[in-house]
Amino acid sequence: MSEYLVNLKINDLSVSVPEGTTILDAAKKLNFRIPTLCHHPDLTVAGNCRVCVVEQKGSRALVASCATPVSEGMEIFTNSRKVRDARKNVIELLLSEHNADCTKCFKNGNCELQDLASEYRVGDHVFIDLVKTSARHEIDISSPAIQKDDSKCIRCQRCVRTCHEIQHVSALAVVNKGEHQAISTFLNKPMNDVVCTNCGQCINRCPTGALAERSYLDQVWDMINDETKHVIVQTAPAVRVALAEPLGFDPGNRVTHKMVSALKHIGFDSVLDTDFTADLTIMEEGTELLTRLKKALVDGDKSVKLPMTTSCSPGWVKFIEHTYPSLLDNVSTCKSPQQMFGALAKTYYAQKKGLKAQDIVSVSIMPCTAKKYEADRPEMRDSGYKDVDYVLTTRELAMMIKQAGIDFESLPDMEYDRIMGDSTGAAVIFGATGGVMEAALRTAYEIVTGSEVPFKNLDILPVRGFEGVREASVTIDGCTPEWSFLEGVELKCAIAHGLENAYQLMKAVYEGKANYHFIEIMACPGGCLGGGGQPIPTNEEIRSKRAQAIYAEDSGLPLRKSHDNPEVQQLYKEFLGAPLGHKSHTLLHTHYKGRKRY
Amino acid sequence: MTVKELVNELVEKHGTTHNSLMPVLQGVVQQERYLSEEAMLTIAEALDISAAEVYGTASFYTFLDTVPRGKNVIRVCKTISCHMQGKDEIIQALEDALKIKVGETTDNKRFTLLTANCLGWCHKGPVMLVNDEVYPELTPQKAVEIIQEYERNTK
């Protein structure tokens, strides 16, 4: 942004802002709130909803404050009679095309359009009710993760911009024109039949309930109420640093143990932790990386692909299946922690607890909508049953806690149940971009050298942060004899979050312009903490607070390296054998499927 | 020439930037009369954009059809000037001659009959467009004769 300051007046107050600032942002500086709908801080400006119009002295027409840069001597009125009348008209027009069945809508109480309608006291249709006369609205529930209800769409195009700018997917586009304009897919195909990765970033930015997760709340309640079922629940790392938001707390609050408490109150038979299998993932994935390095560097095995990329993000997995099917052998064969947990729940856990696999219902709480899709993949039935039966988002869990009548704030702290409830700090940071890399390095380095990674307090700061693509390298020093071929090797790593960044990184790999050994990719901005199933709103500031909470959780834990997890050690001893062993191969690893992008 | 070859030829000519999308779409429609699923997918891949974007652009423009059309596409202007100058009779005559309704294509795939918004020939209405050719000051009989001429010339 320019150094040059522009002076203007907003509602008779003077303000100086850098050249290029929009009226909207200048008003924010003076704490004047201008309502917006199509505007989102993560996205480029669209200026199509007109809710943010303001009056500019000397100009007959109202201007869209989100799309108009300030100019010297400008005088702006954000809340004049003319502005309020126009805004009310805009809201009424938007509502005339909006199916306002608010009581049934999952966004009820957290809907930007509803808030505006309420603020401007817009009730009955002033204009013609176009929803009732339109036959084109059918809810698309083809995807197990995302549902799309065009009758609630106000065509602000935040989803289209998200899918294009942040995710490089563009499953959604604006189709047709005029009264027929809609947000749709290629040839209006069902969402499940197109390149959608189910990441849910569109849901997180939709100002209404047009895009929502497929909810399985009712089914989970049914299972809890079914006496014959043993219902277990796993909670992903990023949920504990965001769950508090929809329950009335500020972003950045860690509520791990209150969450455990709430889940027990709700009636789950056992409250367990995805972090346990995150630690397990590190054991498997770290070993896989070292094995690949050995095969490639020592044995000269040309069939071994490097760099190896992570595989815990199901949005990323589907993205690469569509985008670079030729690079699928570069993706780690490790299942995600959710699916490792699911496969173990109906085998190892069942065995230890003396339960029949068919009596176990395995539920997961995820910051993610793509996890719903992942759980539905046909490959994810290695226990002989559907490994994970139901996936709920962080938002759905918050809803469940409200439905259960729980006063969250007053809950006592409780510990996870055993077995499969133990975890380390390395698992917690899976929830942030760079976290899997950091956890993997903490373990792999120690396997190879017998000593800890050479970073103060185990904090590998170069892999942290929100820059889209980050690079880091660790020189391996002091190898044990078994790994002597790695002595002095500079292990080159790269990290990307958000699929546009992932695309740029993988393009370099595809074109042979990158020489990394290990790449971590998370489909969502900020990693899972900014996942499509996380509380709404999510923005840069909130993501940063959640990340701080995650790293605070890590540094506060007594164990911070995955291989130190006692339950993981026990699991290998009693059940799996060694990492990448036969049983691991059957239960914890998977394969991928090339899909068409075109 | 297959659709793939056609697209590749057009992309060769117009380039692979985002700006090439329109001329490539127009080029396909000129040859094929419509954009098939295969055509749109091939274009998306060649320009490295998403298929939904290609469809979004195509569906915005009335003249970029995404459903199969006949070899000759007739568009009768339906806007007010042509309406007052008798476009309904023109349409009726064409429907009778071709034995199809507006929006339909003849069994032999030679003609598709459509209506169009203002073609800018209000002073010489009623008017119709056959492919890229404008026919002003129509009478029902004249319209049918024009179509018969196309019928004779279409192999």
Side-chain angles (χ1 to χ4, degrees), chain A residues 140 142-144 146 148 163 168-173 175 183-199 202 211 315 317-319 321-323 373 593-598, chain B residues 37 41 50-53 55:
Chain A
D140 180 350
S142 61
S143 155
I146 297 177
K148 181 169 168 286
C163 204
H168 194 91
V169 173
S170 289
L172 295 172
V175 306
I183 307 303
S184 192
T185 56
F186 178 57
L187 288 170
N188 308 315
K189 287 175 191 267
M191 287 283 275
N192 208 35
D193 295 353
V194 295
V195 291
C196 172
T197 65
N198 304 295
C199 74
C202 55
L211 287 155
V317 168
K318 188 155 184 271
F319 180 78
E321 285 179 329
H322 283 293
T323 312
Y373 174 85
K593 186 180 149 189
R595 296 171 201 269
K596 280 187 175 163
R597 184 167 176 93
Y598 299 108
Chain B
E37 179 168 349
L41 289 171
S50 96
E53 279 179 78
Y55 175 62

Side-chain angles (χ1 to χ4, degrees), chain A residues 40 42-43 160-169 201 205 497-502 523-525 543:
Chain A
H40 193 284
D42 287 342
L43 304 171
V160 175
R161 281 174 283 151
T162 300
C163 204
H164 178 73
E165 295 168 14
I166 300 180
Q167 299 298 59
H168 194 91
V169 173
Q201 287 299 315
R205 288 179 187 75
H497 60 123
L499 291 171
E500 172 62 42
N501 295 322
C524 292
R543 283 193 291 269

Side-chain angles (χ1 to χ4, degrees), chain A residues 414-428:
Chain A
M414 288 177 95
E415 291 298 325
Y416 281 101
D417 289 315
R418 300 287 187 269
I419 51 169
M420 299 187 14
D422 233 345
S423 68
T424 71
V428 172

Side-chain angles (χ1 to χ4, degrees), chain A residues 509-556:
Chain A
V509 171
Y510 180 77
E511 290 168 353
K513 291 177 187 162
N515 61 342
Y516 306 109
H517 298 107
F518 189 30
I519 291 177
E520 178 211 280
I521 307 247
M522 296 193 191
C524 292
C528 312
L529 59 87
Q534 290 284 64
I536 300 168
T538 295
N539 54 42
E540 180 92 46
E541 190 192 339
I542 292 173
R543 283 193 291 269
S544 152
K545 285 189 174 149
R546 291 178 192 157
Q548 284 165 20
I550 278 195
Y551 288 115
E553 184 97 351
D554 166 38
S555 58

